[in-house]
Amino acid sequence: MNPNDLQGSSAQSQHAAPGTTAAAAPPAPPPLDEDQASIVREEEELLARVREHLASLPPVKPPPKSDYDEQLLSLRDQIASARLEDVPALVQQMERVTGIAAQRNAHVVEPVDPKSPYFGHLRLREKGKPDRDVLIGKTTHVDAKAGVRIVDWRHAPVSQIYYRYEEGTDYEETFGEREVEGTILARRTVTIDDSELLRISAPQATLVRGVSGAWRSLDVRAASLAGGQGVAIRPEDMREMAGRSGALGTGAAFHAREDRHLPEIAALLDPRQFELISKPDTGIVVIQGGAGSGKTTIGVHRMAFLAYNGGRRFTADKMLVIVGSPALRAYISEVLPALNLPGIGVETYAEWARSTRIKTFPWLEAPVEENTPSVVTRYKTHPAMLRLFERRAREVLEEGSLRRDARGVLYFWADVLSDRDRVLEAFAEINDPEFGIDQVKRAWRWCADRCPAVLDLDPGDRVERKAAAADEPEVSEEEQKRQQGVDGRDGSDRDDRATLDPEDDSLLLRAYQLLRGDLKKGKQPLLYEHLFVDEAQDLAPVDLSVLMHVVNQPRSITLAGDTAQRLFMDSGFRDWRQTLDELGLSRVDVEPLRIAYRSTREVMEFARAVLGPLADPTPPVAPRSGAPVEHHHFPSQGAAAAFLADAIRPLLQREPRATLAVLARHPEQADVYYDALRMAEIPHLRRIRSYEFAFRPGVEVTEIRQVKGLEYDYVVLVDVNAATYPSDDESRHLLHIGATRAAHQLWVVSSGAPSTLLPSWLD
């Protein structure tokens, strides 16, 4: 294949790089046909009527605010700590305040913004009634006499019709106690900016208004996302979109590139996404969705939805986002302020757990082991260990045999991990064929060797124990064993075995919760009102258990993940159903997302093929078709890098806003390609070593593990060799993750014997 074939559509090749000769101007677009012109006239007349009506309204004075939300939260806290005889009166008062607050909220609406009053238009016909136009916007204003009906997409019942039905279909919905039936005569998405109609999306055509004021119809290719440059969404795109609509976008927003008039993003939610976003504010929503299906979009949309409808319960400081990587943390952090959600904490789980553990055990100055054996990781994250911690905590609390301060929690942690008989019994109950008794014993020896050394890191407690022993020489055998450490040593020597494994952060926090209750933030409980966990498939059941218990009752949680994108094979997460069972959530449904918005059909077929037996039996639906996936084989890395340089240089000249990722499995491989491309003087070239992504046009060379959750216009997977990607589950997941970062085009490059995971049809 010619290297010049790494390119976007012909429309994109019209962009000339600085210093080059610009391409000839494209021919003038054909005039609108009669049906298209009629649509434009209808929408312009409707907007004119709405503008005229809004201009005639008197200024709206905001009603005085009351602190009902604060009263409800205060009453809830009082009920939690009140005497039993005081609870009924407090509950009655809480019900009364709730009723008053609900009545207040039902009558308070924001005024309509005349510069962008609505983004959706429905024309409905119901039996026995005249046809009516309903406009979907960000607030509600209904004046039937003036023929203006604008409803809020976030809570107006009629907005469900907009998201669930297509033009020309019959609908049947229940609004309160009223059954509504009818036909959708028209369903259109419009872009209105500074009171001007700029874009109309209808089943018949996508119509845009040019700089001269003339309207034109986008051709089918432009409207169906066929370009390369700018196909992938970046934070600045999301901020601009969110700033206009108060919500994040999905893959359906890509077609805005062609005309530069960004539509309201809330208009682009598909029915399934809207259903999940608007679920009740209490409960647990679990989303299984493939790459590019909108999991992150749903999570942040749902927070915006709750913040709007939930009053002061869901303020930014009372919500937490846990993500899978620093790259996704940076990505979401740049977007949230545009959703009117500044101040929400966005952290990776490892960061959050480490900082919380240090605050909970400030005196435990233990270094963290950097080379924990895989068998120990599996041991500590295994569901059997979570069960054992919970069982032993119940026994200890019933017996009253262990001090319940933070130091007692540390002894509990050490005792559970190194109690050989109980450990073997717990793992035998589960009988995991992938983690046998021999492996359990190896991991137990690691813990039995190191846990006593960690206990000895507390010199103050050692002095306290020695003083107590001097005053009371007669102590029980059990107490002597506790004082001497789990393995019988006297604990007077501090050695290099006194380290914690990364997985111990979760185990210590869960032990604290089991024995002492809520984690603390200063003197107050560390509790959130809503938790959104993205990439949940990379967390262990014990990690999720810790997070579940930092959310206030009644719990409001969104969990999103994709079992096909697991990065950590030792995390203890096998599938959603098993994990939910381990967490005591057997009745929680898993909500599937089937539409893959990011990648083309060709890319998704390749990604599914490399998963092989790990693929979901139901394939995703990819609406877009694009360039075929290409496999290029070379005898060496040098030849492959030279070929890529020859392909990338003209690509960036034609498409200066394109993003391209060169993805390797190992850092050493990424270094080779980066050095070669740098010598070839590829512009805007960046070597990403530790998640320092720029989120701007250019070429980024990095490892697949670092790009989880991100997307690029073009992706090149390098050194897809048999030695680098053997036929194992981890290799399948990595290739799937790397491939699905591509929004437009994917190349696969091998510099040795190709991996046997590559589908045969690729050659």
Side-chain angles (χ1 to χ4, degrees):
M1 182 177 182
N2 189 304
N4 289 334
D5 288 340
L6 183 61
Q7 59 184 357
S9 68
S10 58
Q12 299 297 342
S13 63
Q14 295 166 5
H15 296 275
T20 63
T21 303
L32 303 184
D33 62 31
E34 184 175 346
D35 289 340
Q36 294 169 349
S38 175
I39 291 174
V40 171
R41 284 195 300 272
E42 288 180 5
E43 295 301 329
E44 287 183 330
E45 290 172 0
L46 180 60
L47 177 58
R49 187 167 78 245
V50 171
R51 284 201 310 250
E52 182 180 356
H53 172 72
L54 294 177
S56 68
L57 298 176
V60 177
K61 294 183 178 180
K65 294 184 178 180
S66 300
D67 294 330
Y68 295 122
D69 298 310
E70 287 187 358
Q71 292 180 42
L72 289 171
L73 293 175
S74 175
L75 286 168
R76 184 193 64 188
D77 295 339
Q78 291 179 51
I79 290 173
S81 59
R83 294 179 301 177
L84 189 61
E85 58 268 27
D86 295 333
V87 169
L90 290 171
V91 170
Q92 185 177 9
Q93 185 179 354
M94 192 173 186
E95 291 175 349
R96 183 179 63 82
V97 174
T98 300
I100 296 173
Q103 187 176 12
R104 181 203 65 179
N105 291 334
H107 294 88
V108 177
V109 295
E110 296 290 329
V112 175
D113 180 5
K115 293 185 177 181
S116 183
Y118 56 91
F119 57 77
H121 172 205
L122 288 173
R123 181 167 297 149
L124 306 178
R125 173 172 293 170
E126 296 179 11
K127 187 175 181 180
K129 296 183 179 180
D131 298 347
R132 60 190 177 115
D133 291 306
V134 178
L135 307 176
I136 312 299
K138 292 175 285 187
T139 190
T140 296
H141 175 82
V142 177
D143 189 327
K145 187 175 181 181
V148 175
R149 300 176 181 85
I150 303 174
V151 299
D152 193 316
W153 74 273
R154 289 166 289 195
H155 62 74
V158 74
S159 67
Q160 300 173 24
I161 298 175
Y162 178 81
Y163 288 106
R164 293 177 178 174
Y165 298 91
E166 300 294 331
E167 181 174 311
T169 61
D170 296 333
Y171 62 88
E172 182 177 347
E173 290 288 336
T174 301
F175 298 153
E177 299 181 354
R178 187 167 64 98
E179 298 287 339
V180 178
E181 298 181 17
T183 302
I184 300 179
L185 302 180
R187 182 194 182 279
R188 299 165 188 165
T189 300
V190 297
T191 299
I192 302 171
D193 193 13
D194 202 18
S195 300
E196 296 292 331
L197 181 65
L198 302 176
R199 191 174 195 278
I200 306 169
S201 294
Q204 298 80 4
T206 298
L207 309 170
V208 297
R209 180 181 180 183
V211 177
S212 64
W215 286 84
R216 64 188 177 94
S217 173
L218 294 184
D219 61 42
V220 175
R221 182 174 177 82
S224 61
L225 326 170
Q229 173 174 269
V231 172
I233 288 288
R234 296 191 291 276
E236 64 268 24
D237 308 316
M238 304 289 267
R239 285 197 302 271
E240 185 175 353
M241 292 167 165
R244 294 169 56 88
S245 65
L248 278 178
T250 68
F254 296 154
H255 63 305
R257 308 289 178 173
E258 174 67 16
D259 57 86
R260 298 183 181 276
H261 300 318
L262 295 172
E264 295 283 355
I265 303 309
L268 302 174
L269 297 171
D270 68 32
R272 182 62 172 149
Q273 292 171 330
F274 179 76
E275 176 188 353
L276 295 175
I277 288 165
S278 57
K279 277 185 172 291
D281 58 9
T282 57
I284 301 172
V285 178
V286 179
I287 304 166
Q288 159 64 35
S293 60
K295 300 183 297 297
T296 304
T297 297
I298 290 172
V300 291
H301 257 102
R302 184 157 165 73
M303 287 191 296
F305 192 90
L306 293 174
Y308 178 83
N309 290 290
R312 295 189 182 180
R313 178 185 174 190
F314 296 107
T315 55
D317 62 319
K318 297 172 184 173
M319 294 194 279
L320 174 66
V321 181
I322 295 293
V323 297
S325 72
L328 194 54
R329 176 195 60 202
Y331 192 92
I332 293 179
S333 295
E334 289 201 35
V335 172
L336 286 176
L339 302 176
N340 295 322
L341 295 174
I344 290 183
V346 183
E347 300 185 59
T348 68
Y349 179 76
E351 294 168 337
W352 180 87
R354 180 64 43 79
S355 63
T356 305
R357 190 264 297 168
I358 291 172
K359 293 173 185 175
T360 306
F361 303 88
W363 41 267
L364 181 58
E365 298 180 356
V368 177
E369 174 64 53
E370 296 180 357
N371 298 300
T372 302
S374 174
V375 69
V376 177
T377 297
R378 296 188 69 174
Y379 176 79
K380 292 188 174 183
T381 60
H382 200 281
M385 188 57 69
L386 175 60
R387 290 188 189 181
L388 182 56
F389 264 70
E390 293 174 345
R391 181 188 304 165
R392 285 294 296 139
R394 288 193 297 269
E395 294 171 354
V396 164
L397 292 176
E398 290 174 1
E399 298 166 359
S401 59
L402 186 72
R403 52 192 286 187
R404 290 178 56 189
D405 59 6
R407 288 180 171 87
V409 173
L410 182 66
Y411 278 95
F412 172 84
W413 161 85
D415 178 64
V416 174
L417 287 175
S418 55
D419 189 324
R420 185 178 185 274
D421 293 340
R422 285 194 173 98
V423 163
L424 293 178
E425 180 184 354
F427 278 87
E429 287 178 2
I430 289 188
N431 191 25
D432 185 350
E434 298 181 5
F435 195 60
I437 294 301
D438 288 342
Q439 293 168 295
V440 174
K441 289 179 179 178
R442 285 166 49 202
W444 167 81
R445 290 190 188 96
W446 171 278
C447 296
D449 189 45
R450 283 162 173 74
C451 288
V454 174
L455 296 182
D456 291 340
L457 290 178
D458 183 11
D461 197 46
R462 247 191 348 258
V463 170
E464 182 181 306
R465 286 188 274 118
K466 288 182 178 179
D471 293 338
E472 301 177 18
E474 297 296 330
V475 296
S476 67
E477 181 179 344
E478 181 179 350
E479 180 63 10
Q480 289 181 33
K481 182 179 178 181
R482 188 184 77 83
Q483 293 177 6
Q484 291 175 353
V486 178
D487 68 350
R489 297 185 301 114
D490 64 9
S492 60
D493 299 322
R494 176 171 179 168
D495 58 44
D496 57 5
R497 294 175 299 175
T499 60
L500 294 174
D501 297 311
E503 298 73 29
D504 287 320
D505 291 334
S506 292
L507 291 175
L508 284 166
L509 293 176
R510 188 67 191 120
Y512 187 99
Q513 291 172 326
L514 291 167
L515 296 174
R516 304 197 65 201
D518 294 331
L519 300 173
K520 295 294 191 291
K521 184 178 182 181
K523 294 184 178 180
Q524 299 299 317
L526 177 62
L527 291 171
Y528 298 91
E529 295 296 337
H530 182 75
L531 169 70
F532 169 39
V533 181
D534 205 0
E535 307 291 0
Q537 77 281 350
D538 284 330
L539 297 184
V542 65
D543 304 334
L544 292 171
S545 184
V546 170
L547 290 172
M548 299 280 289
H549 289 85
V550 296
V551 182
N552 232 329
Q553 297 283 2
R555 289 177 182 161
S556 176
I557 299 173
T558 304
L559 303 177
D562 179 18
T563 53
Q565 296 188 68
R566 288 172 56 202
L567 273 179
F568 305 104
M569 302 298 107
D570 301 328
S571 69
F573 189 108
R574 295 294 177 265
D575 59 63
W576 276 116
R577 193 70 271 155
Q578 178 181 337
T579 299
L580 292 174
D581 289 346
E582 294 293 343
L583 296 173
L585 303 175
S586 303
R587 296 185 179 181
V588 174
D589 293 329
V590 178
E591 310 284 358
L593 295 175
R594 296 298 183 194
I595 301 178
Y597 287 107
R598 176 192 300 139
S599 301
T600 63
R601 191 173 301 116
E602 290 79 2
V603 170
M604 294 306 298
E605 288 174 354
F606 170 86
R608 180 173 171 80
V610 298
L611 278 177
L614 304 180
D616 191 312
T618 304
V621 177
R624 293 189 296 131
S625 184
V629 177
E630 297 286 347
H631 176 209
H632 301 281
H633 177 68
F634 299 92
S636 67
Q637 291 177 319
F643 173 81
L644 288 180
D646 289 341
I648 294 172
R649 193 179 297 106
L651 168 70
L652 297 183
Q653 290 178 346
R654 289 190 308 271
E655 302 185 15
R657 281 186 50 80
T659 56
L660 185 148
V662 178
L663 302 179
R665 179 165 188 171
H666 303 298
E668 298 80 9
Q669 295 168 322
D671 287 338
V672 169
Y673 285 89
Y674 172 75
D675 291 341
L677 296 176
R678 180 169 54 84
M679 287 189 291
E681 298 184 339
I682 296 298
H684 311 300
L685 179 69
R686 299 180 289 274
R687 172 69 172 98
I688 307 300
R689 300 184 184 279
S690 184
Y691 302 98
E692 65 274 28
F693 294 96
F695 301 114
R696 62 174 184 263
V699 180
E700 295 184 330
V701 185
T702 188
E703 301 83 62
I704 291 175
R705 289 183 177 276
Q706 297 206 39
V707 295
K708 185 84 170 292
L710 304 184
E711 57 186 81
Y712 295 83
D713 300 327
Y714 301 89
V715 168
V716 179
L717 301 177
V718 296
D719 287 355
V720 187
N721 308 326
T724 305
Y725 294 94
S727 184
D728 58 34
D729 289 357
E730 184 174 1
S731 296
R732 291 182 184 276
H733 283 295
L734 284 171
L735 282 176
H736 175 85
I737 292 169
T740 53
R741 300 312 95 198
H744 175 63
Q745 191 171 358
L746 172 67
W747 275 8
V748 179
V749 173
S750 57
S751 57
S755 171
T756 58
L757 298 179
L758 296 180
S760 58
W761 50 259
L762 194 61
D763 295 324

